[in-house]
Amino acid sequence: DTAVSQTPKYLVTQMGNDKSIKCEQNLGHDTMYWYKQDSKKFLKIMFSYNNKELIINETVPNRFSPKSPDKAHLNLHINSLELGDSAVYFCASSLRGPFSGNTIYFGEGSWLTVV
Amino acid sequence: DAKTTQPNSMESNEEEPVHLPCNHSTISGTDYIHWYRQLPSQGPEYVIHGLTSNVNNRMASLAIAEDRKSSTLILHRATLRDAAVYYCILRATMDSNYQLIWGAGTKLIIKP
């Protein structure tokens, strides 16, 4: 069983479109994250939710809107896609919040290409 | 924010030990040192973490300097499957403005 699964794995779309990436974890964790990895391979946290509540919201354009219907799911919706949004987006989860030393479990990533 | 510095890349022969260094001279007393690795086309995976004492697990060992300003991840017997980018990162335990900072990591190349 995949612990953190995200779909789609690959997504090619045109500028200006709206797209969503879905994420689910079956680990029973309280906290979920979205990370962005750019072309230089730097990983940056975008959002973190703990029990469906937003606890970390880094400097991300408001075109990006996370939604957590329950603590096992954290979806990422992106409006008006731009070329610079092309990156790999990783969903992740941890047992407790990011203030603890918990291990973070990552999904396999969603490769987004905006053309 | 405390940051880490790692070499861009390292090479090692298969079945030999590998020592991956990390400098974190601005580490605070509550920062845990975490290591993750990212295999090609996959998400990062946890390797090991520690605070002050050296740590061992089935994947690797972590040697932490006495002043905690540097640490070394040790793979005792590297295999081709260990070829990955290894990230050394710091995680604050009590920080209301928490942010996890990932560097560029060290790309480990294993030669058969």
Side-chain angles (χ1 to χ4, degrees), chain B residues 14-34:
Chain B
E14 196 177 9
E15 298 191 4
E16 289 185 358
V18 179
H19 291 234
L20 296 165
C22 180
N23 287 323
H24 28 79
S25 58
T26 58
I27 191 170
S28 72
T30 56
D31 282 344
Y32 279 82
I33 302 157
H34 283 242

Side-chain angles (χ1 to χ4, degrees), chain A residues 9 33 35 37 40-43 45 56 58 90 97-109 111, chain B residues 32 34 36 38 41-46 49 87 91-104:
Chain A
K9 181 156 185 166
Y33 311 81
Y35 283 83
Q37 188 170 42
K40 294 182 180 179
K41 304 298 183 186
F42 286 101
L43 264 166
I45 191 168
I56 291 177
E58 293 300 311
F90 288 100
F99 308 126
S100 68
N102 283 171
T103 297
I104 304 174
Y105 294 82
F106 286 84
E108 293 195 343
W111 270 252
Chain B
Y32 279 82
H34 283 242
Y36 283 73
Q38 187 173 17
S41 300
Q42 293 190 25
E45 65 173 345
Y46 169 81
H49 79 281
Y87 295 96
R91 301 192 63 184
T93 55
M94 296 293 290
D95 184 355
S96 61
N97 188 26
Y98 169 83
Q99 182 177 11
L100 184 65
I101 300 174
W102 295 64

Side-chain angles (χ1 to χ4, degrees), chain A residues 43-62:
Chain A
L43 264 166
K44 293 182 181 177
I45 191 168
M46 300 172 68
F47 303 102
S48 176
Y49 270 72
N50 190 47
N51 278 318
K52 300 193 300 175
E53 286 192 27
L54 181 65
I55 52 174
I56 291 177
N57 184 356
E58 293 300 311
T59 306
V60 176
N62 57 16

Side-chain angles (χ1 to χ4, degrees), chain A residues 15-27:
Chain A
M15 278 196 308
N17 284 352
D18 303 337
K19 291 294 178 186
S20 292
I21 307 172
K22 295 185 177 181
C23 180
E24 175 182 5
Q25 53 96 2
N26 62 5
L27 297 167

